[in-house]
Amino acid sequence: VNYTERWYTRKINQQYNEVDHKLEALPGDTLNGFYRVSNYSASLSLSTKLYGMYKPLFAKKKEIQIRHVFTPQVSLSGAPGFSKYWEEYTDYNGNTQYYSPFTGQPYGVPSREGSGTVSFSISNNLEMKYYSSKKDTIKKISLIDELGANINYNMAAATRPWGDLGLNLRLKLSKNYTFSMSSSFKTYGYKFDKNGNVVENDRTEWSYGRFGIFQGYGSSFSYTFNNETWKKWKEKLSGTKDADKEKDKENSSEEGEDAEASSDESGIPKKKVEKAAVDADGYQVFKMPWSLNFNYSFNISEDRSKPINRKKMRYPYRYTHNLSASGNIKLSNKWAVSFNSGYDFEAKKIVQTTFNITRDLHCFSMSASLSPFGQWKYYNFTIRANASILQDLKWEQRSQTQSNIQWY
Protein backbone atom coordinates (compact mmCIF):
# COMPACT_ATOMS: atom_id res chain seq x y z
CA VAL A 1 0.00 0.00 0.00
CA ASN A 2 1.37 3.41 -0.97
CA TYR A 3 0.28 6.77 0.43
CA THR A 4 1.46 10.15 -0.87
CA GLU A 5 0.91 13.43 0.93
CA ARG A 6 1.55 16.81 -0.72
CA TRP A 7 1.43 20.21 0.97
CA TYR A 8 1.01 23.23 -1.27
CA THR A 9 0.90 26.89 -0.31
CA ARG A 10 -1.20 28.11 -3.25
CA LYS A 11 -3.65 27.13 -5.94
CA ILE A 12 -4.65 28.85 -9.16
CA ASN A 13 -8.27 28.88 -10.31
CA GLN A 14 -8.78 29.40 -14.03
CA GLN A 15 -11.62 30.62 -16.22
CA TYR A 16 -12.47 29.56 -19.76
CA ASN A 17 -12.14 32.40 -22.27
CA GLU A 18 -14.98 32.09 -24.79
CA VAL A 19 -13.24 34.45 -27.23
CA ASP A 20 -9.74 32.91 -27.27
CA HIS A 21 -11.03 29.38 -26.50
CA LYS A 22 -8.51 28.72 -23.74
CA LEU A 23 -8.13 28.66 -19.97
CA GLU A 24 -6.63 31.70 -18.30
CA ALA A 25 -6.03 32.90 -14.77
CA LEU A 26 -7.47 36.29 -13.90
CA PRO A 27 -6.21 38.68 -11.17
CA GLY A 28 -7.36 37.36 -7.83
CA ASP A 29 -7.54 33.72 -8.98
CA THR A 30 -4.29 32.83 -7.19
CA LEU A 31 -5.23 31.81 -3.64
CA ASN A 32 -2.50 31.52 -1.03
CA GLY A 33 -2.97 29.18 1.91
CA PHE A 34 -2.33 25.65 3.12
CA TYR A 35 -3.67 22.89 0.85
CA ARG A 36 -3.32 19.16 1.39
CA VAL A 37 -3.27 17.02 -1.76
CA SER A 38 -3.05 13.29 -1.08
CA ASN A 39 -3.61 10.00 -2.86
CA TYR A 40 -3.14 6.31 -2.15
CA SER A 41 -2.86 3.05 -4.08
CA ALA A 42 -2.39 -0.66 -3.48
CA SER A 43 -0.60 -3.41 -5.40
CA LEU A 44 -0.07 -7.16 -5.18
CA SER A 45 2.24 -9.43 -7.14
CA LEU A 46 2.33 -13.22 -7.49
CA SER A 47 5.13 -15.14 -9.16
CA THR A 48 6.51 -18.66 -9.36
CA LYS A 49 9.06 -20.72 -11.30
CA LEU A 50 8.53 -23.98 -13.19
CA TYR A 51 11.52 -26.12 -14.14
CA GLY A 52 11.80 -28.65 -16.93
CA MET A 53 14.74 -30.90 -17.85
CA TYR A 54 15.41 -32.51 -21.22
CA LYS A 55 18.15 -34.94 -22.21
CA PRO A 56 18.58 -35.26 -25.98
CA LEU A 57 18.99 -38.68 -27.58
CA PHE A 58 21.92 -37.55 -29.74
CA ALA A 59 25.55 -37.01 -28.64
CA LYS A 60 25.26 -39.25 -25.59
CA LYS A 61 29.01 -39.05 -24.90
CA LYS A 62 28.70 -35.34 -24.17
CA GLU A 63 25.95 -35.97 -21.59
CA ILE A 64 23.93 -32.98 -22.79
CA GLN A 65 21.21 -31.67 -20.48
CA ILE A 66 18.89 -28.77 -21.29
CA ARG A 67 17.03 -26.89 -18.56
CA HIS A 68 13.97 -24.73 -19.21
CA VAL A 69 12.84 -22.22 -16.57
CA PHE A 70 9.34 -20.78 -17.04
CA THR A 71 8.45 -17.78 -14.86
CA PRO A 72 4.83 -16.52 -14.93
CA GLN A 73 3.85 -13.42 -12.99
CA VAL A 74 0.54 -11.70 -12.24
CA SER A 75 0.40 -8.22 -10.72
CA LEU A 76 -2.64 -6.32 -9.50
CA SER A 77 -2.67 -2.60 -8.75
CA GLY A 78 -5.54 -0.27 -8.02
CA ALA A 79 -6.20 3.34 -7.07
CA PRO A 80 -9.45 5.33 -6.73
CA GLY A 81 -10.13 8.50 -8.64
CA PHE A 82 -9.40 11.81 -6.90
CA SER A 83 -11.84 14.10 -8.71
CA LYS A 84 -12.02 16.49 -5.74
CA TYR A 85 -8.74 18.02 -6.90
CA TRP A 86 -10.14 18.72 -10.38
CA GLU A 87 -12.59 21.26 -11.80
CA GLU A 88 -14.70 20.88 -14.93
CA TYR A 89 -15.65 23.35 -17.67
CA THR A 90 -17.31 23.28 -21.08
CA ASP A 91 -15.32 24.25 -24.17
CA TYR A 92 -16.61 25.95 -27.33
CA ASN A 93 -17.56 22.56 -28.86
CA GLY A 94 -19.80 21.76 -25.91
CA ASN A 95 -17.46 19.05 -24.58
CA THR A 96 -16.76 18.71 -20.88
CA GLN A 97 -13.09 19.23 -20.03
CA TYR A 98 -11.18 19.15 -16.74
CA TYR A 99 -8.33 21.07 -15.13
CA SER A 100 -6.72 21.10 -11.69
CA PRO A 101 -5.92 24.25 -9.70
CA PHE A 102 -2.75 22.46 -8.58
CA THR A 103 -1.40 21.84 -12.09
CA GLY A 104 2.20 23.01 -12.38
CA GLN A 105 3.04 22.35 -8.75
CA PRO A 106 6.37 20.59 -8.09
CA TYR A 107 4.88 17.26 -6.90
CA GLY A 108 2.05 16.90 -9.37
CA VAL A 109 -1.66 16.14 -8.98
CA PRO A 110 -3.38 12.78 -8.33
CA SER A 111 -5.22 11.25 -11.25
CA ARG A 112 -8.87 12.22 -11.67
CA GLU A 113 -9.86 8.76 -12.87
CA GLY A 114 -9.43 5.56 -10.91
CA SER A 115 -7.44 2.59 -12.15
CA GLY A 116 -7.48 -1.13 -11.56
CA THR A 117 -4.79 -2.85 -13.60
CA VAL A 118 -3.98 -6.53 -13.93
CA SER A 119 -0.60 -7.21 -15.54
CA PHE A 120 0.43 -10.54 -17.01
CA SER A 121 4.00 -11.45 -17.90
CA ILE A 122 5.91 -14.60 -18.73
CA SER A 123 9.64 -15.22 -18.99
CA ASN A 124 11.57 -18.17 -20.41
CA ASN A 125 15.17 -19.14 -19.82
CA LEU A 126 16.96 -21.96 -21.65
CA GLU A 127 20.38 -23.27 -20.57
CA MET A 128 22.47 -26.26 -21.57
CA LYS A 129 25.34 -28.06 -19.90
CA TYR A 130 27.54 -30.76 -21.36
CA TYR A 131 30.68 -32.74 -20.64
CA SER A 132 33.87 -31.53 -22.33
CA SER A 133 36.27 -34.46 -22.71
CA LYS A 134 39.05 -32.13 -23.88
CA LYS A 135 39.20 -30.28 -20.57
CA ASP A 136 37.53 -33.02 -18.49
CA THR A 137 34.96 -30.63 -17.03
CA ILE A 138 31.26 -29.73 -17.17
CA LYS A 139 30.47 -26.65 -19.24
CA LYS A 140 27.31 -24.56 -19.04
CA ILE A 141 26.11 -22.20 -21.76
CA SER A 142 23.05 -19.99 -22.14
CA LEU A 143 20.91 -20.75 -25.18
CA ILE A 144 18.21 -18.13 -24.50
CA ASP A 145 18.90 -15.80 -21.62
CA GLU A 146 15.36 -14.41 -21.69
CA LEU A 147 12.34 -14.66 -23.96
CA GLY A 148 9.34 -12.91 -22.48
CA ALA A 149 6.01 -11.26 -23.13
CA ASN A 150 3.82 -8.87 -21.14
CA ILE A 151 0.37 -7.27 -21.39
CA ASN A 152 -2.02 -5.53 -18.99
CA TYR A 153 -5.76 -5.01 -18.55
CA ASN A 154 -7.30 -1.91 -16.94
CA MET A 155 -10.50 -2.99 -15.16
CA ALA A 156 -11.48 0.62 -14.46
CA ALA A 157 -11.34 1.76 -18.11
CA ALA A 158 -14.69 2.21 -19.85
CA THR A 159 -13.13 1.77 -23.32
CA ARG A 160 -9.92 0.19 -24.61
CA PRO A 161 -9.00 -1.66 -21.39
CA TRP A 162 -6.26 -3.80 -22.97
CA GLY A 163 -2.70 -2.53 -23.14
CA ASP A 164 -0.16 -3.16 -25.87
CA LEU A 165 1.62 -6.51 -26.13
CA GLY A 166 5.36 -6.34 -25.48
CA LEU A 167 7.94 -8.94 -26.45
CA ASN A 168 11.60 -9.04 -25.47
CA LEU A 169 14.57 -11.25 -26.28
CA ARG A 170 18.05 -11.41 -24.77
CA LEU A 171 20.87 -13.70 -25.93
CA LYS A 172 24.30 -14.11 -24.36
CA LEU A 173 26.45 -14.70 -27.42
CA SER A 174 29.68 -14.57 -25.42
CA LYS A 175 30.95 -13.63 -21.98
CA ASN A 176 31.40 -9.99 -22.97
CA TYR A 177 28.65 -9.60 -25.55
CA THR A 178 24.87 -9.64 -25.10
CA PHE A 179 22.29 -9.11 -27.81
CA SER A 180 18.96 -7.61 -26.71
CA MET A 181 15.81 -6.77 -28.63
CA SER A 182 12.36 -5.53 -27.65
CA SER A 183 9.20 -4.96 -29.70
CA SER A 184 5.57 -4.00 -29.17
CA PHE A 185 2.26 -4.74 -30.88
CA LYS A 186 -0.65 -2.30 -30.68
CA THR A 187 -3.86 -3.91 -29.43
CA TYR A 188 -6.26 -1.32 -30.86
CA GLY A 189 -6.02 -0.15 -34.45
CA TYR A 190 -7.04 3.11 -36.07
CA LYS A 191 -10.21 4.48 -37.62
CA PHE A 192 -11.63 7.75 -38.93
CA ASP A 193 -14.08 9.76 -36.84
CA LYS A 194 -16.97 11.80 -38.24
CA ASN A 195 -14.62 14.71 -38.97
CA GLY A 196 -12.16 12.54 -40.90
CA ASN A 197 -9.48 12.56 -38.19
CA VAL A 198 -7.52 9.43 -37.30
CA VAL A 199 -8.44 8.13 -33.84
CA GLU A 200 -7.94 4.86 -31.98
CA ASN A 201 -10.44 2.11 -32.64
CA ASP A 202 -12.53 0.76 -29.77
CA ARG A 203 -12.29 -2.81 -31.11
CA THR A 204 -9.20 -4.91 -30.64
CA GLU A 205 -7.22 -6.23 -33.57
CA TRP A 206 -7.90 -9.72 -32.24
CA SER A 207 -11.62 -9.29 -32.95
CA TYR A 208 -10.73 -8.90 -36.64
CA GLY A 209 -8.62 -12.06 -36.57
CA ARG A 210 -5.34 -10.11 -36.56
CA PHE A 211 -2.46 -10.42 -34.11
CA GLY A 212 -1.90 -6.70 -33.60
CA ILE A 213 -0.22 -3.72 -35.21
CA PHE A 214 3.54 -3.99 -35.22
CA GLN A 215 4.73 -0.72 -33.70
CA GLY A 216 8.42 -1.35 -34.06
CA TYR A 217 11.37 -2.78 -32.22
CA GLY A 218 14.72 -1.73 -30.89
CA SER A 219 18.01 -3.58 -30.64
CA SER A 220 21.55 -2.77 -29.70
CA PHE A 221 25.01 -4.22 -30.23
CA SER A 222 27.98 -3.41 -28.06
CA TYR A 223 31.53 -4.61 -27.71
CA THR A 224 34.42 -3.58 -25.50
CA PHE A 225 38.10 -3.62 -26.39
CA ASN A 226 40.71 -3.53 -23.61
CA ASN A 227 44.16 -4.80 -22.69
CA GLU A 228 42.93 -8.37 -22.33
CA THR A 229 41.24 -8.35 -25.76
CA TRP A 230 44.49 -8.38 -27.75
CA LYS A 231 46.01 -10.87 -25.33
CA LYS A 232 43.13 -13.32 -25.82
CA TRP A 233 43.25 -12.95 -29.59
CA LYS A 234 47.00 -13.55 -29.54
CA GLU A 235 46.56 -16.67 -27.39
CA LYS A 236 43.96 -18.09 -29.75
CA LEU A 237 46.17 -17.52 -32.79
CA SER A 238 49.43 -18.75 -31.23
CA GLY A 239 47.97 -21.47 -28.99
CA THR A 240 50.02 -20.38 -25.95
CA LYS A 241 47.09 -20.20 -23.57
CA ASP A 242 47.47 -23.67 -22.09
CA ALA A 243 51.24 -23.26 -21.68
CA ASP A 244 50.75 -19.99 -19.81
CA LYS A 245 48.20 -21.63 -17.53
CA GLU A 246 50.63 -24.41 -16.64
CA LYS A 247 53.31 -21.81 -15.93
CA ASP A 248 50.95 -19.89 -13.67
CA LYS A 249 50.16 -23.10 -11.77
CA GLU A 250 53.86 -23.78 -11.25
CA ASN A 251 54.44 -20.22 -10.05
CA SER A 252 51.49 -20.42 -7.66
CA SER A 253 52.77 -23.71 -6.21
CA GLU A 254 56.25 -22.22 -5.74
CA GLU A 255 54.74 -19.17 -4.05
CA GLY A 256 52.80 -21.46 -1.74
CA GLU A 257 56.00 -23.31 -0.74
CA ASP A 258 57.78 -20.01 -0.18
CA ALA A 259 54.89 -18.80 1.99
CA GLU A 260 55.13 -21.92 4.18
CA ALA A 261 58.89 -21.53 4.50
CA SER A 262 58.65 -17.84 5.40
CA SER A 263 56.68 -18.34 8.60
CA ASP A 264 58.15 -17.95 12.05
CA GLU A 265 58.19 -20.47 14.92
CA SER A 266 54.66 -19.52 16.04
CA GLY A 267 53.33 -20.32 12.59
CA ILE A 268 52.46 -16.72 11.75
CA PRO A 269 53.51 -15.94 8.17
CA LYS A 270 55.91 -13.11 7.68
CA LYS A 271 54.99 -10.11 5.59
CA LYS A 272 55.62 -10.93 1.95
CA VAL A 273 57.17 -8.33 -0.32
CA GLU A 274 56.19 -8.87 -3.95
CA LYS A 275 58.69 -8.08 -6.64
CA ALA A 276 57.68 -5.92 -9.57
CA ALA A 277 57.02 -7.83 -12.79
CA VAL A 278 59.83 -7.52 -15.35
CA ASP A 279 60.05 -8.28 -19.06
CA ALA A 280 62.58 -10.44 -20.92
CA ASP A 281 65.17 -7.62 -20.87
CA GLY A 282 64.90 -7.12 -17.12
CA TYR A 283 62.92 -3.88 -17.23
CA GLN A 284 59.74 -3.31 -15.25
CA VAL A 285 56.65 -4.22 -17.25
CA PHE A 286 54.87 -1.11 -18.46
CA LYS A 287 51.11 -1.23 -17.84
CA MET A 288 48.58 1.29 -19.07
CA PRO A 289 45.02 -0.03 -18.52
CA TRP A 290 42.56 1.15 -21.16
CA SER A 291 39.16 0.24 -22.56
CA LEU A 292 37.19 1.30 -25.63
CA ASN A 293 33.47 0.56 -25.95
CA PHE A 294 31.34 0.81 -29.10
CA ASN A 295 27.55 0.63 -29.06
CA TYR A 296 25.25 0.58 -32.08
CA SER A 297 21.49 0.93 -31.59
CA PHE A 298 18.79 0.45 -34.20
CA ASN A 299 15.11 1.36 -33.81
CA ILE A 300 11.96 1.04 -35.93
CA SER A 301 8.85 2.93 -34.87
CA GLU A 302 5.60 4.31 -36.27
CA ASP A 303 5.93 7.73 -37.87
CA ARG A 304 2.64 9.46 -37.01
CA SER A 305 3.83 12.72 -38.52
CA LYS A 306 3.13 11.25 -41.96
CA PRO A 307 -0.32 10.45 -43.42
CA ILE A 308 -1.82 7.04 -42.69
CA ASN A 309 -2.33 4.39 -45.36
CA ARG A 310 -6.10 4.52 -45.85
CA LYS A 311 -6.28 1.01 -47.28
CA LYS A 312 -4.29 -0.80 -44.60
CA MET A 313 -4.93 1.77 -41.83
CA ARG A 314 -1.24 1.71 -40.95
CA TYR A 315 1.30 4.44 -40.45
CA PRO A 316 4.66 4.22 -42.26
CA TYR A 317 7.69 3.24 -40.22
CA ARG A 318 10.59 5.41 -39.21
CA TYR A 319 14.14 4.06 -38.99
CA THR A 320 16.71 5.54 -36.62
CA HIS A 321 20.17 4.32 -35.68
CA ASN A 322 22.95 5.74 -33.56
CA LEU A 323 26.58 4.94 -32.88
CA SER A 324 28.15 5.79 -29.55
CA ALA A 325 31.68 5.33 -28.27
CA SER A 326 33.27 5.72 -24.87
CA GLY A 327 36.70 4.96 -23.52
CA ASN A 328 39.18 5.54 -20.75
CA ILE A 329 42.92 5.17 -20.26
CA LYS A 330 44.99 5.32 -17.10
CA LEU A 331 48.23 7.03 -18.05
CA SER A 332 49.74 6.45 -14.60
CA ASN A 333 48.67 5.82 -11.01
CA LYS A 334 47.74 9.50 -10.77
CA TRP A 335 46.52 10.44 -14.27
CA ALA A 336 43.37 9.19 -16.05
CA VAL A 337 41.63 10.29 -19.25
CA SER A 338 38.13 9.37 -20.48
CA PHE A 339 35.76 10.43 -23.24
CA ASN A 340 32.18 9.89 -24.41
CA SER A 341 30.91 10.63 -27.92
CA GLY A 342 28.71 9.34 -30.73
CA TYR A 343 27.14 10.01 -34.09
CA ASP A 344 23.45 10.52 -34.95
CA PHE A 345 22.84 9.18 -38.46
CA GLU A 346 19.44 10.85 -38.72
CA ALA A 347 20.67 14.33 -37.83
CA LYS A 348 24.02 13.59 -39.54
CA LYS A 349 26.09 15.17 -36.82
CA ILE A 350 28.22 14.31 -33.81
CA VAL A 351 26.23 14.09 -30.58
CA GLN A 352 27.22 15.61 -27.24
CA THR A 353 30.92 14.86 -26.75
CA THR A 354 32.82 15.15 -23.48
CA PHE A 355 36.48 14.72 -22.52
CA ASN A 356 37.54 14.29 -18.88
CA ILE A 357 41.00 14.43 -17.28
CA THR A 358 41.59 13.62 -13.60
CA ARG A 359 44.72 13.89 -11.45
CA ASP A 360 45.14 12.52 -7.96
CA LEU A 361 46.92 15.13 -5.81
CA HIS A 362 47.01 12.97 -2.66
CA CYS A 363 44.76 15.02 -0.32
CA PHE A 364 43.22 16.85 -3.25
CA SER A 365 41.99 15.86 -6.70
CA MET A 366 41.95 17.82 -9.92
CA SER A 367 39.43 17.30 -12.74
CA ALA A 368 38.88 19.02 -16.06
CA SER A 369 35.95 18.51 -18.44
CA LEU A 370 35.57 19.80 -21.97
CA SER A 371 32.68 19.47 -24.43
CA PRO A 372 33.67 20.96 -27.80
CA PHE A 373 31.04 19.17 -29.92
CA GLY A 374 27.28 18.79 -29.70
CA GLN A 375 24.42 21.12 -28.87
CA TRP A 376 25.86 22.28 -25.54
CA LYS A 377 29.49 23.40 -25.35
CA TYR A 378 31.18 23.94 -22.02
CA TYR A 379 34.35 23.52 -19.97
CA ASN A 380 34.90 22.94 -16.27
CA PHE A 381 38.04 22.89 -14.10
CA THR A 382 37.92 21.90 -10.42
CA ILE A 383 40.35 21.28 -7.57
CA ARG A 384 38.70 19.91 -4.44
CA ALA A 385 39.58 18.16 -1.18
CA ASN A 386 39.12 14.39 -1.10
CA ALA A 387 37.76 14.28 2.45
CA SER A 388 33.97 14.04 2.51
CA ILE A 389 33.64 16.59 5.31
CA LEU A 390 35.64 19.09 3.23
CA GLN A 391 33.63 18.89 0.01
CA ASP A 392 33.02 22.65 0.11
CA LEU A 393 36.78 23.25 0.09
CA LYS A 394 37.32 23.65 -3.65
CA TRP A 395 38.31 26.01 -6.42
CA GLU A 396 36.19 25.84 -9.56
CA GLN A 397 36.24 27.58 -12.91
CA ARG A 398 33.51 26.84 -15.41
CA SER A 399 31.82 28.27 -18.47
CA GLN A 400 28.13 28.70 -19.06
CA THR A 401 26.40 25.74 -20.70
CA GLN A 402 25.26 27.15 -23.99
CA SER A 403 25.02 26.25 -27.67
CA ASN A 404 26.84 29.23 -29.17
CA ILE A 405 30.05 29.44 -27.13
CA GLN A 406 33.11 30.64 -29.08
CA TRP A 407 36.62 29.80 -27.89
CA TYR A 408 38.57 31.01 -30.93
Side-chain angles (χ1 to χ4, degrees):
V1 178
N2 298 318
Y3 178 81
T4 304
E5 176 84 13
R6 306 171 184 83
W7 291 355
Y8 292 143
T9 57
R10 66 187 178 94
K11 69 176 183 179
I12 303 176
N13 293 324
Q14 300 185 58
Q15 308 293 330
Y16 184 72
N17 191 323
E18 298 288 349
V19 178
D20 297 332
H21 305 302
K22 65 177 183 179
L23 285 173
E24 61 181 12
L26 301 177
D29 286 343
T30 300
L31 304 178
N32 298 318
F34 178 75
Y35 303 97
R36 293 178 58 251
V37 180
S38 61
N39 68 292
Y40 52 88
S41 63
S43 61
L44 176 67
S45 179
L46 302 173
S47 178
T48 187
K49 288 182 180 292
L50 303 176
Y51 295 87
M53 301 294 295
Y54 172 68
K55 192 172 184 180
L57 299 178
F58 58 88
K60 292 185 179 181
K61 292 184 178 180
K62 289 187 174 293
E63 300 180 4
I64 300 176
Q65 287 188 350
I66 299 176
R67 187 185 72 168
H68 178 210
V69 182
F70 177 71
T71 308
Q73 183 175 2
V74 180
S75 302
L76 296 90
S77 61
F82 296 90
S83 58
K84 61 181 179 180
Y85 302 122
W86 294 79
E87 304 291 340
E88 67 176 40
Y89 66 94
T90 304
D91 61 12
Y92 70 98
N93 290 325
N95 300 322
T96 302
Q97 305 291 346
Y98 299 90
Y99 84 95
S100 174
F102 301 101
T103 299
Q105 298 282 11
Y107 303 107
V109 188
S111 175
R112 186 185 64 86
E113 299 180 349
S115 65
T117 304
V118 182
S119 301
F120 307 92
S121 66
I122 58 173
S123 178
N124 296 272
N125 174 267
L126 207 62
E127 292 182 342
M128 180 181 73
K129 65 178 182 179
Y130 64 95
Y131 171 73
S132 176
S133 58
K134 184 178 180 180
K135 297 185 178 180
D136 192 21
T137 184
I138 300 295
K139 280 195 163 186
K140 185 174 70 171
I141 59 175
S142 174
L143 300 178
I144 300 177
D145 195 49
E146 184 182 6
L147 174 61
N150 60 84
I151 195 172
N152 61 76
Y153 182 84
N154 189 357
M155 298 180 293
T159 59
R160 298 189 291 273
W162 286 102
D164 295 339
L165 174 65
L167 301 177
N168 60 286
L169 173 67
R170 186 171 66 245
L171 302 174
K172 285 187 177 180
L173 303 181
S174 67
K175 291 183 179 180
N176 299 325
Y177 175 69
T178 300
F179 170 78
S180 60
M181 183 180 70
S182 61
S183 61
S184 61
F185 294 84
K186 191 173 180 59
T187 304
Y188 299 94
Y190 304 103
K191 67 176 183 179
F192 292 103
D193 62 6
K194 59 182 180 179
N195 298 322
N197 299 320
V198 179
V199 295
E200 281 193 275
N201 198 346
D202 293 336
R203 290 184 59 183
T204 64
E205 289 291 293
W206 315 327
S207 62
Y208 295 105
R210 297 190 289 261
F211 182 73
I213 299 178
F214 176 70
Q215 285 197 294
Y217 81 95
S219 62
S220 61
F221 308 87
S222 63
Y223 196 85
T224 302
F225 298 90
N226 53 32
N227 305 68
E228 299 297 325
T229 304
W230 311 117
K231 184 179 179 181
K232 291 179 181 178
W233 288 1
K234 184 179 179 181
E235 289 174 351
K236 289 181 180 180
L237 295 174
S238 60
T240 59
K241 186 175 181 180
D242 295 334
D244 292 342
K245 282 188 175 181
E246 292 296 331
K247 188 176 180 181
D248 293 340
K249 287 182 180 179
E250 293 178 1
N251 293 336
S252 61
S253 61
E254 292 176 359
E255 289 175 0
E257 294 175 358
D258 294 341
E260 293 178 359
S262 61
S263 58
D264 56 16
E265 296 179 356
S266 61
I268 301 175
K270 297 179 181 179
K271 186 177 179 181
K272 183 180 177 181
V273 180
E274 295 184 357
K275 294 182 179 180
V278 296
D279 56 15
D281 297 326
Y283 294 99
Q284 183 176 351
V285 176
F286 177 72
K287 292 184 179 180
M288 187 181 293
W290 62 271
S291 67
L292 184 62
N293 177 265
F294 292 96
N295 182 79
Y296 176 77
S297 60
F298 179 79
N299 291 277
I300 300 177
S301 60
E302 283 187 325
D303 189 359
R304 299 191 182 184
S305 63
K306 296 182 179 179
I308 194 171
N309 188 319
R310 292 178 173 267
K311 184 178 180 181
K312 297 181 179 180
M313 292 303 292
R314 298 287 189 273
Y315 281 103
Y317 291 103
R318 177 185 179 186
Y319 304 89
T320 59
H321 52 126
N322 298 276
L323 177 66
S324 61
S326 62
N328 62 80
I329 182 172
K330 193 172 183 180
L331 301 175
S332 66
N333 293 333
K334 304 292 184 179
W335 286 95
V337 180
S338 63
F339 82 96
N340 195 330
S341 184
Y343 186 79
D344 189 344
F345 291 93
E346 184 181 9
K348 296 181 179 179
K349 64 179 182 180
I350 299 176
V351 299
Q352 193 73 41
T353 301
T354 57
F355 296 92
N356 301 288
I357 301 176
T358 58
R359 173 70 161 91
D360 185 3
L361 302 174
H362 193 265
C363 297
F364 290 82
S365 62
M366 180 193 72
S367 63
S369 301
L370 175 65
S371 180
F373 309 117
Q375 182 179 3
W376 310 106
K377 301 177 178 65
Y378 65 90
Y379 68 86
N380 182 21
F381 182 83
T382 306
I383 298 178
R384 66 171 67 244
N386 292 332
S388 58
I389 60 175
L390 299 175
Q391 287 300 300
D392 293 332
L393 180 59
K394 63 180 180 179
W395 182 82
E396 188 173 20
Q397 182 68 30
R398 66 169 61 214
S399 68
Q400 296 181 351
T401 303
Q402 55 190 13
S403 57
N404 59 348
I405 187 171
Q406 296 291 335
W407 292 322
Y408 49 84

